[in-house]
Amino acid sequence: MRGPMIRIQRLVIMILAVSILTMTLTGCWDSRELEKQLILTGLAMDVSDKPGRISVTAQVVNTSQDGGAAKSGANGGTTGGGATIEMKASGSSLMDCLNEIDRNSDHKLLVHHNQIRLFGIDLAKQGIKRPLDAIMRDPKARLEVPLAVIDGRGEDALTAKFSPTPISAVFLGGMLEDMANVSRQYRVRLIDFVKRLQEENAAPVIPIMKVTGEDDNQQIKLDGMAVFQDDKMIGRLTNLETSGYIWSFGDVKKAPAEVSEGSSSAALIIQTLNCTREIFLEEDGSVRVSLTINAVIEPSEIYGFEKMKPAELLPHLEKLAEQEIQDEITGCFLTAQKLNADIFGFCTMLQKKYPREWDDLKDEWNKVFSEMELDIQVKVQIPRTGQIIQSLEMEEKDNEN
Amino acid sequence: MLYGYFKRKWSYLVHARRVQNIEAEKEAAEKPTTKINGNLDKSLQELKALLSDAQDLKIHPLRFGPDNRLSGALIFIDGLIDNPTLTNAILRPLKNWPEEALPLSDEAGILEVLEQEVLCASDVKKAAAMQELAEGCLSGDTALLIDGCEGGLVVNSKGFEKRAVTEPQSESVVRGPREGFTENLRTNTSLIRRKIRSGQLKVEQMTVGRKTGTGVCLMYLDGVANPEVVETVRYRIGNLDVDAILETGYIEEYIEDAPFSPFGTIGYSEKPDVVAAKILEGRVAIVVDGTPFVLTAPMLFSESFQTAEDYYARPLYSSLVRILRVLGFIITVFAPAIYIALLSFQNELIPTTLLFTVAKAREGVPFPVFVEAFIMVLAFEILREAGVRLPRPVGQAISIVGALIMGEAAINAGIVGAPMVIVIALTAVTGFLVPIQYDSIAILRIIMMIMAGCLGFYGVAFGFIGLLVHLSTLESFGAHYLGSFDSDDAQDSLICMPLWFMVRRPKEIARGDMTRGRRFIPPLRPHAKEEDEE
């Protein structure tokens, strides 16, 4: 009789304890019903008209029944009302603006699904530390969201309509993800940017995108990279220089490239490109970096080169490609030296390899970098020619002979 | 307050049990017996009184024996006996008593002669008390009383309407035997016996129920079944003191280990081959008169995911289907809960594009997700319950009206979102993958939904852990409910190993003779030995 009583007593106490603990830790009051949320897909930050303030544009999904969001997946139609709503606010800080957007709506802002964070080029030049700080502090904001600088105002990229994806932020995020398949360097996530920012003397880069075209036929393209010193944009790389920048990191897959010689040209696909970097501190105090690049390339289109025999063509193309890659990296390196921005992360390599010598070098890093030598060795292989062996024109020539 | 409630409840239960025991003992002690005295008329009066003067009690007075000098009466209940048996086995021999062949000694000797030499029935018992005669009549035997004899005979003449052996409704198979148990106890035991032709198969007969006096049979393989389990089953059934046993469900409820658990701890089947397989694994079968279901104990959790066809189909496919069933169980219990948790707590876990679609479908739905899910689950259970007891054509109409028309209309009217209907439909369909656990699934699903509605994924995780803890504490007649997931018995749990691999009986269940056969990898080659020698 006593035993069971005590067991029941203990059971009741346990149930009470567990339920009190669980209920106070979390509970119904923490619920966020989906229909009460504004799903934030993109965030654009620009300079405001008034000095010292920023203007923020938040793109949220239009979930109302006549909106196009749900249909977007299936047919991309944006009938009756847009797929998205752009909400604007300006204030002294990012949080200020987001709070205002939140306040002016009967829904709550759901920031987890943010696809992209855009900075207007003017804001990038002024510095982006403050908004980044706010984002980093927010536990709900994801660090994996990619960043991009818009040549123009950031809000223009959000309000633009890109078919077939009606939500421009999703479009931009997807585009950067596609490019990340080629090389991870194309997609700079917040966490990558901040990591680079924290390295000594390193200069982070963010891809620049440019909106072109008119109302219904707007397009966006990658237009080089913005080079940052600290948190301010100090210059930009052109598209060719950007390619050089990408090659210098290696780990590239399926990247297009083009070589030309006179009127002949060939479009190539870099199947894989790997780069081994090594840094040397010479005895005279100068620093030399050697990049050894191994690439496997497949020709996708060959035009011209009529005078060459098929057996000579491939080695020739290999040579041309090697030269092209070398030129692009050199061009990028020269620009970086001009800007005095170590976008390649050589400083960190040096620091890791020569920690003792680094103490002496770090005060004159700028000088070291501007005098740094780059030693590039490129080895290109073209193992296959695609589905056909010879160009159509060459075939005719062979028959004549 | 709760404490006080439990205290009162508990002491009531304990008291009730004690009172019951005392009463039962009293009744057992005072069970009256009336001796049969030689007076036929008086005995008949007493017998009539014992059977409440029932109108279907037939008394057939007759004179028989040499010179018809014996007078007696046949007493039976109309409808319970087989008339040809009565005529051929009892009446005809009595009437055709050859005159000189059997000299009659004294009155007591008559019964002896009748039992051993005259009557042609298969089972004749002598009875000394009126109560024995009454019981015999009630179970379909014919009682024979003779004037001047201090005793009577109970002659087996059972024969009543019974259903033929047909294909079971609840467990249909594509491949495998189609016979199912019937409502007749003897038929059922014979069906099992026909599967296991072994002298080791033990059959123990019991009678349970104060008023119904239902026959209950324990069947198990001696030397294979765990003696402790047999003993426990026998003890629990033997000590049942209840009015009625009308179905195996009664017995199950009285003897199961965890009466408050949503999970059943005793298996059941309608198919002799299934029961035979379970007996061969060392389980005890409990056959109850009047129902085509046979209980098997102990039951392990993995049995819910097994079907007879698993062993008749090829093992690769069986394993695939079995994994699907386990997945189905998990989906049907957790799908609505996870949907609720995703939509009202952890929105960030939904893939972005899916989120857009769901958000649009939810826009304008008047209820929170939890309420929406609850309405749908309830509606489904109502439809199922409405359809299940109706004749098949009407049931179909119900499901069409309920599922198609109401579902479609509810979405169009914006009362529920389309994704919710998909989730509930998935839940409903996967629920039928594990029919044995259907009742526990329905309960657990609602518990999980409440957990998710209050605490989100946190609650679902809590529920899941709680479920695992509960399952692992469950026992069925000494066997661990999750025992078959042990490495020794895993051959027949989540995956179904080939039969030639499963040579050992499950350790959790069987004791003694553990080996089922020789382990080998097919095919056996008849000339393999000679080839080796060459």
Side-chain angles (χ1 to χ4, degrees), chain A residues 1 4-5 8-9 12 16 18 21-23 25-35 37 39 41 61-73 107 110 112-113 115 142 167 170, chain B residues 2-3 6-8 10-11 14 18 340 342-353 355-370 372 453-456 458-459 462:
Chain A
M1 182 80 197
M5 273 321 305
I8 289 178
Q9 199 178 335
V12 170
L16 280 178
V18 168
L21 280 176
T22 52
M23 291 293 168
L25 286 172
T26 176
C28 302
W29 42 88
D30 284 332
S31 78
R32 300 188 305 244
E33 291 291 335
L34 189 56
E35 59 268 28
Q37 311 278 322
I39 304 164
T41 50
V61 179
N62 179 7
T63 49
S64 68
Q65 290 293 332
D66 55 349
K71 287 174 197 149
S72 70
H107 287 42
L110 179 74
H112 300 98
H113 287 275
Q115 299 293 306
R142 288 183 173 164
I167 303 173
V170 174
Chain B
L2 265 175
Y3 176 76
F6 275 112
K7 196 170 174 178
R8 280 200 303 279
W10 186 258
S11 54
V14 170
R18 196 175 293 157
I340 292 170
L342 279 178
L343 257 69
S344 53
F345 286 86
Q346 278 83 10
N347 313 128
E348 62 270 21
L349 290 181
I350 311 175
T352 307
T353 8
L355 181 79
F356 298 158
T357 317
V358 175
K360 193 173 148 64
R362 292 263 332 134
E363 196 64 38
V365 173
F367 307 111
V369 192
F370 174 67
E372 193 188 356
C454 295
L455 301 166
Y458 184 58
F462 248 106

Side-chain angles (χ1 to χ4, degrees), chain B residues 234-461:
Chain B
R234 196 187 292 133
Y235 178 82
R236 286 184 188 170
I237 296 180
N239 278 283
L240 275 186
D241 183 28
V242 291
D243 236 16
I245 299 292
L246 294 179
E247 213 275 332
T248 47
Y250 280 54
I251 297 236
E252 185 182 346
E253 218 174 296
Y254 287 130
I255 70 170
E256 68 185 337
D257 281 76
F260 297 111
S261 168
F263 294 98
T265 47
I266 298 178
Y268 61 88
S269 177
E270 213 180 336
K271 285 169 62 63
D273 52 325
V274 174
V275 172
K278 300 209 164 171
I279 289 176
L280 285 168
E281 280 187 344
R283 290 186 177 84
V284 182
I286 304 163
V287 193
V288 178
D289 197 17
T291 172
F293 288 92
V294 171
L295 297 177
T296 50
M299 183 207 181
L300 306 183
F301 188 49
S302 60
E303 274 174 61
S304 328
F305 306 110
Q306 297 168 349
T307 66
E309 241 175 314
D310 287 356
Y311 306 94
Y312 309 148
R314 302 193 54 244
L316 279 178
Y317 178 69
S318 307
S319 303
L320 169 75
V321 180
R322 210 174 265 183
I323 291 168
L324 276 184
R325 286 193 203 107
V326 176
L327 270 182
F329 178 79
I330 295 170
I331 290 175
T332 193
V333 170
F334 289 101
I338 289 176
Y339 185 72
I340 292 170
L342 279 178
L343 257 69
S344 53
F345 286 86
Q346 278 83 10
N347 313 128
E348 62 270 21
L349 290 181
I350 311 175
T352 307
T353 8
L354 180 63
L355 181 79
F356 298 158
T357 317
V358 175
K360 193 173 148 64
R362 292 263 332 134
E363 196 64 38
V365 173
F367 307 111
V369 192
F370 174 67
V371 178
E372 193 188 356
F374 209 81
I375 292 174
M376 290 301 287
V377 166
L378 275 189
F380 165 67
E381 290 294 332
I382 289 169
L383 283 175
R384 195 190 69 87
E385 194 58 31
V388 99
R389 316 240 171 271
L390 287 173
R392 195 160 278 177
V394 189
Q396 269 174 2
I398 292 267
S399 25
I400 289 170
V401 171
L404 295 180
I405 300 177
M406 267 172 60
E408 184 71 24
I411 299 173
N412 286 342
I415 294 171
V416 291
M420 175 59 79
V421 176
I422 296 172
V423 169
I424 297 299
L426 181 75
T427 308
V429 172
T430 47
F432 292 118
L433 278 182
V434 194
I436 292 179
Q437 292 290 359
Y438 193 83
D439 41 358
S440 64
I441 285 172
I443 297 166
L444 289 173
R445 186 189 294 147
I446 291 176
I447 293 176
M448 294 302 164
M449 279 167 59
I450 293 171
M451 297 290 274
C454 295
L455 301 166
F457 259 114
Y458 184 58
V460 178

Side-chain angles (χ1 to χ4, degrees), chain B residues 45-363:
Chain B
Q45 286 308 318
E46 278 172 5
L47 193 60
K48 268 189 184 173
L50 273 176
L51 296 174
S52 313
D53 210 3
Q55 293 296 305
D56 54 356
L57 183 74
K58 300 288 179 210
I59 297 173
H60 179 72
L62 74 169
R63 299 190 69 80
F64 59 96
D67 312 331
N68 280 352
R69 65 185 161 89
L70 293 170
S71 75
L74 288 173
I75 307 110
F76 55 88
I77 292 180
D78 200 16
L80 288 184
I81 60 147
D82 183 37
N83 275 323
T85 314
L86 180 74
T87 318
N88 294 329
I90 304 170
L91 275 176
R92 223 181 273 271
L94 284 180
K95 291 283 186 192
N96 299 343
W97 199 326
E99 286 196 18
E100 303 84 22
L102 299 162
L104 279 176
S105 55
D106 58 338
E107 256 72 23
I110 298 175
L111 290 178
E112 199 89 356
V113 173
L114 279 173
E115 181 190 347
Q116 288 173 3
E117 296 175 51
V118 180
L119 292 175
C120 299
S122 57
D123 183 16
V124 185
K125 279 176 292 188
K126 268 196 273 187
M130 293 305 301
Q131 277 73 19
E132 288 176 55
L133 293 186
E135 268 172 36
C137 287
L138 287 174
S139 58
D141 295 338
T142 303
L144 175 61
L145 279 174
I146 298 163
D147 198 19
C149 254
E150 287 190 351
L153 286 180
V154 178
V155 189
N156 177 18
S157 61
K158 290 189 188 72
F160 33 79
E161 292 304 318
K162 53 190 173 193
R163 197 164 59 91
V165 174
T166 52
E167 189 172 352
Q169 297 283 315
S170 64
E171 295 164 78
S172 41
V173 286
V174 179
R175 182 176 176 184
R178 304 221 187 282
E179 59 186 5
F181 289 120
T182 70
E183 281 76 4
N184 185 272
L185 177 68
R186 269 297 147 256
T187 314
N188 293 352
T189 51
S190 71
L191 282 173
I192 297 173
R193 260 216 190 280
R194 265 161 47 196
K195 301 270 177 202
I196 308 173
R197 287 190 197 96
S198 161
Q200 275 178 292
L201 182 68
K202 264 202 169 182
V203 182
E204 286 181 23
Q205 180 87 30
M206 296 171 151
T207 307
V208 192
R210 283 189 205 174
K211 298 280 186 284
T212 57
T214 311
V216 174
C217 256
L218 302 189
M219 294 182 86
Y220 58 92
L221 273 183
D222 202 19
V224 174
N226 186 348
E228 282 175 29
V229 174
V230 176
E231 170 75 35
T232 314
V233 173
R234 196 187 292 133
Y235 178 82
R236 286 184 188 170
I237 296 180
N239 278 283
L240 275 186
D241 183 28
V242 291
D243 236 16
I245 299 292
L246 294 179
E247 213 275 332
T248 47
Y250 280 54
I251 297 236
E252 185 182 346
E253 218 174 296
Y254 287 130
I255 70 170
E256 68 185 337
D257 281 76
F260 297 111
S261 168
F263 294 98
T265 47
I266 298 178
Y268 61 88
S269 177
E270 213 180 336
K271 285 169 62 63
D273 52 325
V274 174
V275 172
K278 300 209 164 171
I279 289 176
L280 285 168
E281 280 187 344
R283 290 186 177 84
V284 182
I286 304 163
V287 193
V288 178
D289 197 17
T291 172
F293 288 92
V294 171
L295 297 177
T296 50
M299 183 207 181
L300 306 183
F301 188 49
S302 60
E303 274 174 61
S304 328
F305 306 110
Q306 297 168 349
T307 66
E309 241 175 314
D310 287 356
Y311 306 94
Y312 309 148
R314 302 193 54 244
L316 279 178
Y317 178 69
S318 307
S319 303
L320 169 75
V321 180
R322 210 174 265 183
I323 291 168
L324 276 184
R325 286 193 203 107
V326 176
L327 270 182
F329 178 79
I330 295 170
I331 290 175
T332 193
V333 170
F334 289 101
I338 289 176
Y339 185 72
I340 292 170
L342 279 178
L343 257 69
S344 53
F345 286 86
Q346 278 83 10
N347 313 128
E348 62 270 21
L349 290 181
I350 311 175
T352 307
T353 8
L354 180 63
L355 181 79
F356 298 158
T357 317
V358 175
K360 193 173 148 64
R362 292 263 332 134
E363 196 64 38

Side-chain angles (χ1 to χ4, degrees), chain A residues 327-380:
Chain A
D327 288 351
E328 283 171 5
I329 296 179
T330 316
C332 176
F333 183 66
L334 289 177
T335 312
Q337 271 184 331
K338 215 180 287 165
L339 291 169
N340 207 351
D342 175 21
I343 55 177
F344 303 99
F346 291 149
C347 172
T348 317
M349 283 168 66
L350 189 71
Q351 215 174 322
K352 274 181 189 155
K353 193 168 176 189
Y354 303 102
R356 236 175 266 154
E357 289 83 344
W358 169 249
D359 282 341
D360 305 331
L361 278 173
K362 70 178 168 191
D363 293 334
E364 47 193 75
W365 167 250
N366 286 345
K367 188 169 161 285
V368 172
F369 184 66
S370 57
E371 288 168 2
M372 190 183 277
E373 280 173 49
L374 195 60
D375 179 11
I376 308 167
Q377 276 160 3
V378 189
K379 181 88 194 82
V380 167

